[in-house]
Amino acid sequence: MTARVALIGHPLRRRHSEMMHNAAFAHFGIDAVYELRDIEPNEVGGFVLETRGEDWLGFQITAPYKQVVMGHLDEIESGASRIGAVNSVVRDRGGRLVGFNTDAPGFRRAIEIELDVEVPGLSAVVAGAGGAARAVVDALVDGGAELVSVGNRTPGRAESLAADFGPAVIAVDLGPAFSTALAGADLAVNATTVGMHAPGAAFDVGALPQDAAVYDLVYEPAETPLLAAARARGLRTANGLGMLVAQAEIAFERWTGVRNAGTVMRAAIEA
Ligand code: NAP
């Protein structure tokens, strides 16, 4: 019996997940297939019911269903509860559907490996207050960061994010307060769509200290204006590809027990 996994979302524009997981299944000789399911909102419940079948390992979720899917599962792990979004589900041995979030641990793995950043005691600045920013902030706070300053175009969203994550997280305006936060940061993160959907750089890297690192969650284009400016200043930089691969690697391990699939996955999407 071929085991199954799928990604649900609407619209589904990217094929990275399908490529990464199918390459890893093939490489490790696992008889399983990862498929894309572009479904309507009224089809989510029926889809989740289908995944209770014995052939399913689990599934993944992208916009706009990361919140709504939570109501259909048997258990939500604590990290996903804090973030308020499930992007992966595993069907456990008892057939229960357990929701978790791989964006937060994927982000942490990426910054540690690619930027040599140690999270405990870190001072970080995050641009954005959407779903991805919530995962980034959770990874930083859960990892023991000392201070996380969040700035967002719509200030109220940064304020409610800060309120959800406790005293280590503060909301700052995108004016002089954001530059002050950058001046004291070890790590600055772009968790907005600027550089991908919107033109320009998410923030000015000029205020960052020389030993700071810059992580951009955007991976298409590979070098955003933000990363180009940071690189021109000689700062350590990485784009979101490492996080994309790491979050996939974490889900793959939960479904199959196979660790370190990231190298194969990365090669598949770079090809
Ligand atoms: P989202 O929930 O829609 O949030 C979008 C964020 O971008 C909000 O903070 C929004 O601000 C901000 N924004 C949008 N247009 C802007 C503009 N013109 N100027 C300033 N801010 C703007 O999206 P998301 O899921 O958090 O994703 C954010 C980014 O992270 C996307 O580029 C996504 O591809 C990337 N991502 C990467 C990975 C990875 O593995 N590398 C994983 C997840 C997400 P407002 O609140 O003011 O609208």
Side-chain angles (χ1 to χ4, degrees):
M1 179 173 67
T2 301
R4 304 174 71 185
V5 198
L7 171 68
I8 57 166
H10 184 71
L12 283 180
R13 293 198 194 90
R14 296 201 170 73
R15 308 190 75 87
H16 294 88
S17 295
E18 183 189 25
M19 281 190 278
M20 287 191 289
H21 287 284
N22 283 331
F25 285 139
H27 179 85
F28 292 104
I30 297 167
D31 182 14
V33 63
Y34 187 110
E35 53 188 87
L36 300 181
R37 291 278 196 96
D38 192 328
I39 61 175
E40 299 292 333
N42 63 6
E43 295 175 309
V44 174
F47 170 80
V48 177
L49 202 57
E50 182 186 339
T51 67
R52 293 184 180 277
E54 274 189 0
D55 47 342
W56 287 83
L57 301 175
F59 59 98
Q60 290 197 298
I61 307 98
T62 189
Y65 303 132
K66 288 183 183 182
Q67 283 86 30
V68 77
V69 76
M70 295 169 85
H72 297 276
L73 305 176
D74 301 313
E75 183 185 334
I76 311 291
E77 292 187 353
S78 57
S81 291
R82 290 192 304 266
I83 295 163
V86 161
N87 76 337
S88 302
V89 172
V90 63
R91 192 176 153 278
D92 73 10
R93 288 204 181 122
R96 297 171 68 254
L97 296 177
V98 180
F100 55 106
N101 188 300
T102 61
D103 280 336
F107 167 75
R108 181 163 181 186
R109 199 175 280 187
I111 58 169
E112 286 176 343
I113 293 172
E114 300 191 331
L115 295 175
D116 205 16
V117 163
E118 287 184 17
V119 177
L122 194 76
S123 178
V125 173
V126 177
R134 292 184 71 88
V136 164
V137 169
D138 184 62
L140 294 170
V141 172
D142 192 50
E146 190 177 304
L147 177 65
V148 183
S149 305
V150 180
N152 191 50
R153 177 179 63 177
T154 309
R157 288 186 84 191
E159 281 155 22
S160 66
L161 189 161
D164 286 348
F165 283 93
V169 184
I170 58 167
V172 290
D173 284 341
L174 285 181
F178 198 76
S179 301
T180 305
L182 287 171
D186 307 304
L187 172 72
V189 181
N190 175 36
T192 74
T193 53
V194 177
M196 181 175 69
H197 294 320
F203 50 84
D204 181 357
V205 297
L208 282 165
Q210 195 56 46
D211 59 354
V214 178
Y215 195 82
D216 197 332
L217 265 65
V218 173
Y219 50 88
E220 272 179 0
E223 186 169 81
T224 57
L226 173 73
L227 290 184
R231 194 167 56 84
R233 263 205 59 194
L235 306 178
R236 283 150 35 238
T237 62
N239 70 19
L241 199 64
M243 174 175 167
L244 183 76
V245 172
Q247 66 77 25
E249 183 180 60
I250 292 163
F252 191 83
E253 184 179 340
R254 291 288 297 268
W255 294 328
T256 65
V258 174
R259 304 181 67 178
N260 302 323
T263 308
V264 174
M265 291 175 156
R266 193 168 190 129
I269 47 174
E270 282 177 347

Coordinates of all heavy atoms in Angstrom, one line a residue, residues 14 66 103 127-133 152-154 157 174 190-194 196-199 215-219 240-241 243-245 247, ligand 1:
R14 N 2.9 27.1 -5.3 CA 4.3 26.6 -5.3 C 4.3 25.1 -5.2 O 3.5 24.5 -4.5 CB 5.1 27.3 -4.1 CG 5.2 28.7 -4.2 CD 6.3 29.3 -3.4 NE 6.5 30.7 -3.8 CZ 5.7 31.6 -3.4 NH1 4.7 31.4 -2.7 NH2 6.0 32.9 -3.8
K66 N -4.5 27.4 7.8 CA -3.7 27.0 9.0 C -4.4 27.1 10.3 O -4.0 26.5 11.3 CB -2.4 27.8 9.0 CG -1.4 27.4 7.9 CD -0.1 28.3 8.1 CE 0.9 28.0 7.0 NZ 2.1 28.7 7.2
D103 N 7.2 25.6 11.2 CA 7.9 26.8 10.8 C 8.8 27.4 11.9 O 9.9 27.9 11.6 CB 6.8 27.9 10.4 CG 6.3 27.7 9.0 OD1 6.9 27.1 8.2 OD2 5.1 28.2 8.8
A127 N 10.5 42.2 11.5 CA 9.6 43.0 10.7 C 8.4 42.1 10.3 O 8.7 41.1 9.6 CB 10.3 43.6 9.5
G128 N 7.2 42.5 10.6 CA 6.0 41.7 10.2 C 5.3 41.2 11.4 O 5.9 41.1 12.5
A129 N 4.0 41.0 11.2 CA 3.2 40.4 12.4 C 2.1 39.4 11.9 O 1.1 39.2 12.5 CB 2.5 41.6 13.1
G130 N 2.4 38.8 10.7 CA 1.5 37.8 10.2 C 1.8 36.4 10.8 O 2.5 36.3 11.8
G131 N 1.4 35.4 10.1 CA 1.5 34.0 10.6 C 3.0 33.7 10.7 O 3.4 33.0 11.7
A132 N 3.8 34.0 9.7 CA 5.2 33.7 9.7 C 5.9 34.4 10.9 O 6.8 33.8 11.5 CB 5.9 34.0 8.4
A133 N 5.6 35.6 11.1 CA 6.2 36.4 12.2 C 5.9 35.8 13.5 O 6.8 35.7 14.4 CB 5.7 37.9 12.1
N152 N 5.5 46.5 12.5 CA 4.7 46.1 11.4 C 4.0 47.3 10.8 O 3.7 48.3 11.5 CB 3.6 45.1 12.0 CG 2.9 44.4 10.8 OD1 3.5 43.9 9.9 ND2 1.5 44.4 10.9
R153 N 3.7 47.2 9.5 CA 3.0 48.3 8.8 C 1.7 48.6 9.5 O 1.4 49.8 9.7 CB 2.7 47.8 7.4 CG 1.9 48.8 6.6 CD 1.7 48.3 5.2 NE 0.9 47.0 5.1 CZ 0.5 46.4 4.0 NH1 0.9 46.9 2.9 NH2 -0.2 45.3 4.1
T154 N 0.9 47.6 9.9 CA -0.3 47.9 10.7 C 0.1 47.7 12.2 O 0.2 46.5 12.7 CB -1.4 46.8 10.3 OG1 -1.5 46.9 8.9 CG2 -2.7 47.2 11.0
R157 N -1.4 45.0 14.8 CA -1.1 43.6 14.7 C 0.2 43.3 15.5 O 0.3 42.2 16.1 CB -1.0 43.2 13.3 CG -2.3 43.1 12.5 CD -2.1 42.6 11.1 NE -2.1 41.1 11.1 CZ -1.7 40.4 10.0 NH1 -1.3 41.0 8.9 NH2 -1.8 39.1 10.1
L174 N 7.4 51.7 13.2 CA 8.4 51.6 12.1 C 9.1 52.9 11.9 O 9.7 53.0 10.9 CB 7.7 51.1 10.9 CG 7.2 49.7 10.8 CD1 6.6 49.4 9.5 CD2 8.4 48.7 11.0
N190 N 13.3 39.6 8.4 CA 12.1 40.1 7.6 C 11.1 38.9 7.5 O 11.4 37.9 6.9 CB 12.5 40.5 6.2 CG 11.3 40.8 5.3 OD1 10.3 41.4 5.9 ND2 11.3 40.5 4.1
A191 N 10.0 39.1 8.2 CA 8.9 38.2 8.1 C 7.6 38.8 7.4 O 6.5 38.5 7.7 CB 8.5 37.6 9.5
T192 N 7.9 39.8 6.5 CA 6.8 40.4 5.7 C 7.0 39.8 4.3 O 7.9 39.1 4.0 CB 6.9 41.9 5.6 OG1 8.0 42.3 4.8 CG2 7.2 42.6 7.0
T193 N 6.0 40.2 3.4 CA 6.1 39.8 2.0 C 6.9 40.8 1.2 O 7.0 40.7 0.0 CB 4.7 39.6 1.4 OG1 4.0 40.8 1.7 CG2 4.0 38.5 2.1
V194 N 7.5 41.8 1.8 CA 8.2 42.8 1.1 C 9.5 42.2 0.6 O 10.2 41.4 1.3 CB 8.6 44.0 2.0 CG1 9.5 45.0 1.3 CG2 7.4 44.7 2.6
M196 N 9.2 40.2 -1.9 CA 8.6 39.1 -2.8 C 7.4 39.7 -3.5 O 7.5 40.0 -4.7 CB 8.2 37.9 -1.9 CG 7.6 36.8 -2.8 SD 7.2 35.3 -1.8 CE 5.8 35.9 -0.8
H197 N 6.3 40.0 -2.8 CA 5.1 40.6 -3.4 C 5.3 42.1 -3.5 O 4.8 42.7 -4.5 CB 3.9 40.2 -2.6 CG 3.5 38.8 -2.6 ND1 3.7 38.0 -3.8 CD2 3.1 38.0 -1.7 CE1 3.3 36.8 -3.5 NE2 3.0 36.7 -2.2
A198 N 5.9 42.7 -2.5 CA 6.0 44.2 -2.5 C 7.4 44.6 -2.8 O 8.3 43.9 -2.4 CB 5.5 44.7 -1.1
P199 N 7.6 45.7 -3.6 CA 9.0 46.0 -3.9 C 9.8 46.6 -2.8 O 9.2 47.0 -1.8 CB 8.8 47.1 -5.0 CG 7.4 47.6 -4.8 CD 6.6 46.6 -4.1
Y215 N 18.2 37.8 8.5 CA 17.5 36.6 7.9 C 16.3 37.1 7.2 O 15.4 37.8 7.8 CB 17.1 35.6 9.0 CG 16.8 34.2 8.4 CD1 17.7 33.4 8.0 CD2 15.4 33.9 8.1 CE1 17.4 32.2 7.3 CE2 15.1 32.7 7.5 CZ 16.1 31.8 7.1 OH 15.8 30.7 6.5
D216 N 16.1 36.7 6.0 CA 14.9 37.1 5.2 C 14.1 35.8 4.9 O 14.6 34.9 4.3 CB 15.3 37.8 3.9 CG 14.2 38.5 3.2 OD1 13.0 38.2 3.5 OD2 14.4 39.5 2.5
L217 N 12.9 35.8 5.4 CA 12.0 34.6 5.2 C 11.7 34.4 3.7 O 11.4 33.3 3.3 CB 10.7 34.6 6.0 CG 10.8 33.9 7.3 CD1 11.7 34.6 8.3 CD2 9.4 33.9 8.0
V218 N 11.8 35.5 2.9 CA 11.6 35.4 1.5 C 12.7 34.6 0.8 O 13.9 34.7 1.2 CB 11.5 36.8 0.9 CG1 11.4 36.7 -0.7 CG2 10.3 37.5 1.4
Y219 N 12.3 33.7 -0.1 CA 13.3 32.9 -0.8 C 13.2 33.0 -2.3 O 14.0 32.5 -3.1 CB 13.4 31.4 -0.4 CG 12.0 30.8 -0.4 CD1 11.5 30.2 -1.6 CD2 11.2 30.8 0.7 CE1 10.2 29.6 -1.6 CE2 9.9 30.2 0.7 CZ 9.5 29.6 -0.5 OH 8.2 29.1 -0.5
G240 N 15.2 32.6 3.0 CA 14.3 31.7 3.6 C 14.3 30.3 3.1 O 13.6 29.4 3.7
L241 N 15.2 30.0 2.2 CA 15.3 28.6 1.7 C 15.6 27.6 2.8 O 15.1 26.5 2.8 CB 16.3 28.5 0.5 CG 16.1 27.3 -0.4 CD1 14.8 27.4 -1.1 CD2 17.3 27.3 -1.4
M243 N 15.0 27.7 5.9 CA 13.8 27.5 6.8 C 12.8 26.6 6.1 O 12.3 25.7 6.7 CB 13.2 28.9 7.1 CG 11.9 28.8 7.9 SD 11.4 30.4 8.4 CE 9.7 30.1 8.9
L244 N 12.6 26.9 4.8 CA 11.7 26.0 4.0 C 12.1 24.6 4.1 O 11.3 23.7 4.3 CB 11.7 26.5 2.6 CG 10.7 25.8 1.6 CD1 9.3 26.3 1.9 CD2 11.0 26.1 0.2
V245 N 13.4 24.3 3.8 CA 13.9 23.0 3.8 C 13.8 22.4 5.2 O 13.4 21.2 5.4 CB 15.3 22.9 3.3 CG1 15.9 21.5 3.4 CG2 15.4 23.4 1.8
Q247 N 11.9 23.1 7.8 CA 10.5 22.8 8.2 C 10.0 21.5 7.6 O 9.3 20.7 8.2 CB 9.6 23.9 8.1 CG 9.2 24.4 6.7 CD 8.2 23.5 6.0 OE1 7.4 22.8 6.6 NE2 8.3 23.5 4.7
Ligands
NAP1 P1 0.9 37.1 6.1 O1 0.3 36.4 7.3 O2 0.0 37.5 5.0 O3 1.6 38.5 6.7 C1 2.2 39.4 5.8 C2 3.0 40.4 6.5 O4 3.7 41.2 5.6 C3 2.2 41.3 7.4 O5 3.0 41.7 8.5 C4 2.0 42.5 6.5 O6 1.7 43.7 7.2 C5 3.3 42.6 5.8 N1 3.2 43.3 4.5 C6 2.6 42.9 3.4 N2 2.8 43.9 2.4 C7 3.5 44.9 3.0 C8 4.1 46.1 2.5 N3 3.8 46.5 1.2 N4 4.8 46.9 3.4 C9 5.1 46.4 4.6 N5 4.6 45.3 5.1 C10 3.8 44.5 4.3 O7 2.1 36.3 5.5 P2 3.0 35.2 6.2 O8 2.4 33.9 6.1 O9 3.3 35.7 7.6 O10 4.3 35.3 5.3 C11 5.2 36.4 5.3 C12 6.4 36.1 4.4 O11 7.1 35.0 5.0 C13 6.0 35.6 3.0 O12 6.9 36.2 2.1 C14 6.2 34.1 3.0 O13 6.5 33.6 1.7 C15 7.4 34.0 3.9 N6 7.4 32.7 4.6 C16 8.6 31.9 4.4 C17 8.7 30.7 5.0 C18 9.9 29.9 4.8 O14 9.9 28.7 5.1 N7 11.0 30.5 4.3 C19 7.6 30.2 5.8 C20 6.5 31.0 6.0 C21 6.4 32.2 5.4 P3 0.2 44.1 7.6 O15 -0.1 43.4 8.9 O16 0.3 45.6 7.8 O17 -0.7 43.7 6.4

